[in-house]
């Protein structure tokens, strides 16, 4: 099975990491998996740049960007069929096809790319069926065609409301395409079934994780490696940019400020990502910021050093960091939104507070820290669920089965049309 993934990146960001892990899992199953991406981070003969025509992009970008119709100027996308990766592929797997105001992929090319190649489209957010946003929050205008957008600043932000036009263009592209949809979370599966993409088969396949790398390590040793003082309670938070509103860094600060003073005195906050340096001076709790970390073994040490993983997100699909925390046996506190409940299961793997309820989020932290037996039971259950539901081998096998079924369906359709 020769599989070609098309994604924004191979290692930068949660969706890129999830896509790359699938690639690794498929290689482990004997598949010939390759990637075309906008921003390659790995040096490999299996990873290459997605096609682009820089001169034409630059000439047309000011017009399409000003109109708020991102990416339709990316004419280089139509040259992807000339790439050897595409020519040799048995099946395509689309992932994140957007990327800020610049982007790399023209969604109007999906019909031509899927005309002769069976294709799976793995969603990592809602962008594929909205008029511009990756997450719509409380807005459901995407069900009816968008237009009159209530918030043009949601990523990817646009300067002008042409969301109805973009919605129509996507709808046109899909009406001329052959796709099978995959959603990693149950929540996103339900959203997709209510969207323009309900014309296609929609499957729920969770992302996988390497449970041999991400596994519980001896906590005290991990704290020693990170130079965390003996006896300190460790609260961990991770995001590519801790200041990003969607990830709820502001909610985290308010929750930490609300912790009892006695608890603050024995606590240290451990963070991944940029922006964590401000936590100590804002909330009065010592903080250790590890910056952006891409090494899986190092991240496993950090999760194992943590007593709780805190994730105050406002919108998410199936967060990679929650899977990593779960596999390392670290209980979690988060909000009941999106795909988070798939992973943070109340009383089993962690604590779920109502969306943006800072006080209840704080209550969850206190409750789990004060109940060590419950926390230890949750740690065991986190690990058991990670092994049972989210192993990389299970995900890769599910995708292999889906690729085969998709190829067979396309073959049957072509045979029927030729009769």
């Amino acid at each position: 099975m020769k599989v070609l993934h098309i994604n924004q990146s191979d290692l930068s960001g949660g969706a890129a990491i999830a896509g790359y892990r699938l690639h690794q899992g498929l290689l482990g199953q004997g598949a010939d998996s390759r990637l075309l991406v906008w921003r390659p981070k790995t040096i490999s003969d299996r990873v290459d740049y997605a096609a682009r025509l820089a001169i034409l992009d630059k000439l047309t970008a000011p017009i399409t960007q000003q109109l708020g119709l991102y990416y339709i100027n990316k004419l280089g996308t139509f040259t992807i069929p000339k790439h050897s990766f595409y020519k040799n592929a048995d099946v395509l797997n689309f992932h994140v096809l957007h990327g800020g105001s610049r982007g790399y992929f023209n969604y109007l090319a999906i019909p031509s790319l899927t005309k002769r190649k069976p294709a799976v489209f793995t969603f990592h957010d809602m962008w594929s069926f909205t008029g511009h946003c990756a997450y719509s929050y409380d807005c459901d205008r995407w069900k009816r065609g968008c237009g009159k957008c209530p918030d043009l600043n949601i990523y990817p932000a646009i300067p002008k409301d042409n969301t109805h036009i973009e919605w129509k263009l996507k709808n046109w592209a899909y009406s001329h395409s052959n796709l099978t949809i995959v959603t990693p979370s149950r929540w996103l599966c339900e959203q997709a079934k209510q969207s323009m993409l309900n014309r296609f088969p929609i499957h729920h396949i969770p992302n996988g994780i390497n449970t041999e790398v991400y596994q519980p390590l001896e906590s005290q040793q991990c704290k020693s490696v990170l130079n965390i003082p003996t006896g300190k309670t460790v609260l961990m938070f991770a995001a590519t940019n801790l200041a990003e509103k969607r990830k709820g860094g502001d909610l985290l600060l308010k929750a930490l400020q609300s912790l009892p003073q006695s608890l603050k005195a024995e606590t240290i906050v451990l963070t991944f990502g940029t922006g964590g340096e401000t936590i100590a001076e804002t909330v009065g709790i010592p903080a250790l910021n590890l910056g952006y970390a891409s090494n899986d073994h190092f991240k496993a040490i950090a999760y194992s050093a943590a007593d709780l993983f805190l994730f105050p997100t406002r919108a998410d699909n199936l967060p990679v960091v929650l899977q990593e925390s779960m596999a390392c046996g670290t209980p979690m506190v988060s909000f009941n939104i999106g795909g988070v409940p798939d992973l943070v299961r109340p009383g089993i793997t962690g604590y779920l507070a109502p969306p943006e309820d800072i006080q209840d989020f704080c209550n969850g932290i206190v409750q789990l820290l004060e109940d060590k037996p419950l926390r230890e039971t949750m740690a065991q259950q986190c690990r058991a669920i990670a092994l049972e539901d989210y192993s990389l081998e299970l995900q890769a096998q599910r995708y292999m089965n889906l690729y085969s079924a998709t190829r067979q369906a396309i073959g049957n359709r072509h045979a029927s049309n030729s009769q």
Side-chain angles (χ1 to χ4, degrees):
M1 180 73 70
K2 297 178 180 179
V3 185
L4 173 60
H5 303 272
I6 298 176
N7 205 352
Q8 182 185 28
S9 179
D10 48 352
L11 285 178
S12 181
I17 293 171
Y20 193 78
R21 286 176 179 167
L22 173 58
H23 160 70
Q24 291 176 309
L26 293 172
L27 291 175
Q29 293 286 330
D32 182 356
S33 179
R34 298 174 185 271
L35 296 90
L36 287 178
V37 299
W38 180 25
R39 296 170 174 169
K41 298 294 182 180
T42 54
I43 300 175
S44 169
D45 59 0
R46 293 185 175 275
V47 181
D48 202 0
Y49 285 93
R52 52 189 174 185
L53 301 176
I55 296 177
L56 289 176
D57 284 356
K58 289 181 180 179
L59 290 175
T60 55
I63 300 173
T64 55
Q65 289 180 8
Q66 188 60 36
L67 291 173
L69 296 173
Y70 295 161
Y71 321 136
I72 60 174
N73 66 304
K74 303 297 178 181
L75 301 181
T77 307
F78 291 91
T79 69
I80 286 178
K82 298 180 180 179
H83 198 289
S84 61
F85 284 8
Y86 179 91
K87 291 179 180 179
N88 295 328
D90 296 317
V91 62
L92 309 178
N93 197 152
F94 300 112
H95 292 270
V96 174
L97 301 183
H98 60 85
S101 60
R102 295 177 60 195
Y104 74 105
F105 187 92
N106 188 337
Y107 55 84
L108 298 179
I110 294 177
S112 61
L113 292 175
T114 63
K115 187 175 182 179
R116 296 180 178 84
K117 301 279 185 181
V120 169
F121 195 164
T122 301
F123 292 171
H124 298 273
D125 54 36
M126 298 174 65
W127 175 87
S128 300
F129 51 84
T130 71
H132 92 90
C133 61
Y135 289 95
S136 69
Y137 297 90
D138 295 331
C139 176
D140 66 353
R141 299 187 66 83
W142 49 270
K143 296 179 182 179
R144 305 182 295 277
C146 287
K148 298 182 180 179
C149 180
D151 193 345
L152 301 180
N153 291 317
I154 295 176
Y155 177 86
I158 54 175
K160 185 175 182 179
D161 187 359
N162 275 321
T163 54
H164 178 63
I165 296 176
E166 178 170 319
W167 190 96
K168 295 284 284 186
L169 288 173
K170 288 179 179 177
N171 191 46
W172 173 88
Y174 298 140
S175 70
H176 293 81
S177 300
N178 294 308
L179 292 169
T180 296
I181 308 301
V182 171
T183 67
S185 69
R186 292 181 177 87
W187 163 79
L188 192 54
C189 187
E190 291 306 311
Q191 304 299 296
K193 288 178 179 178
Q194 299 176 62
S195 77
M196 66 176 82
L197 287 157
N198 63 7
R199 70 190 77 193
F200 299 118
I202 299 175
H203 301 264
H204 169 232
I205 302 178
N207 296 329
I209 186 168
N210 188 331
T211 55
E212 293 184 4
V213 174
Y214 287 94
Q215 62 173 300
L217 305 173
E218 209 287 314
S219 181
Q220 288 304 320
Q221 288 185 353
C222 292
K223 289 178 180 179
S224 177
V225 168
L226 298 175
N227 294 319
I228 296 174
T230 303
K232 283 289 187 179
T233 297
V234 180
L235 302 176
M236 185 175 171
F237 174 61
T240 302
N241 183 353
L242 303 184
E244 183 184 353
K245 183 178 179 180
R246 181 171 70 85
K247 293 300 183 182
D250 59 318
L251 302 177
L252 176 70
L253 294 179
K254 293 176 182 177
L256 293 177
Q257 286 173 330
S258 300
L259 290 175
Q261 193 59 43
S262 58
L263 194 57
K264 289 184 181 181
E266 58 188 36
T267 298
I268 186 170
V269 178
L270 184 64
T271 64
F272 276 132
T274 59
E277 303 82 3
T278 63
I279 290 180
E281 58 191 58
T282 304
V283 302
I285 300 177
L288 174 61
N289 182 257
L290 301 176
Y292 182 79
S294 59
N295 184 282
D296 291 326
H297 293 279
F298 180 67
K299 288 197 288 183
I301 290 173
Y303 286 110
S304 297
D307 295 284
L308 287 179
F309 184 78
L310 311 182
F311 196 64
T313 182
R314 286 184 165 94
D316 254 297
N317 175 21
L318 194 75
V320 165
V321 290
L322 290 182
Q323 283 190 306
E324 293 171 347
S325 180
M326 175 182 282
C328 291
T330 305
M332 304 156 287
V333 179
S334 189
F335 290 121
N336 187 9
I337 59 93
V340 169
D342 287 8
L343 302 169
V344 185
R345 305 177 188 182
I348 300 174
T349 63
Y351 188 98
L352 273 184
E356 298 199 40
D357 188 333
I358 297 168
Q359 187 55 55
D360 197 47
F361 189 91
C362 179
N363 292 342
I365 298 173
V366 174
Q367 178 183 321
L368 296 190
L369 288 183
E370 291 183 344
D371 193 338
K372 186 175 181 181
L374 174 61
R375 201 167 68 245
E376 290 176 344
T377 299
M378 285 184 171
Q380 295 172 3
Q381 291 168 162
C382 280
R383 179 62 180 174
I385 291 172
L387 291 171
E388 182 177 354
D389 295 347
Y390 302 113
S391 73
L392 194 57
E393 294 79 11
L394 177 59
Q395 181 203 20
Q397 188 56 59
R398 286 170 169 170
Y399 268 89
M400 289 289 283
N401 294 340
L402 184 60
Y403 294 150
S404 296
T406 302
R407 288 183 67 196
Q408 184 63 45
I410 294 296
N412 292 341
R413 191 178 303 135
H414 288 167
S416 177
N417 293 336
S418 64
Q419 292 177 356

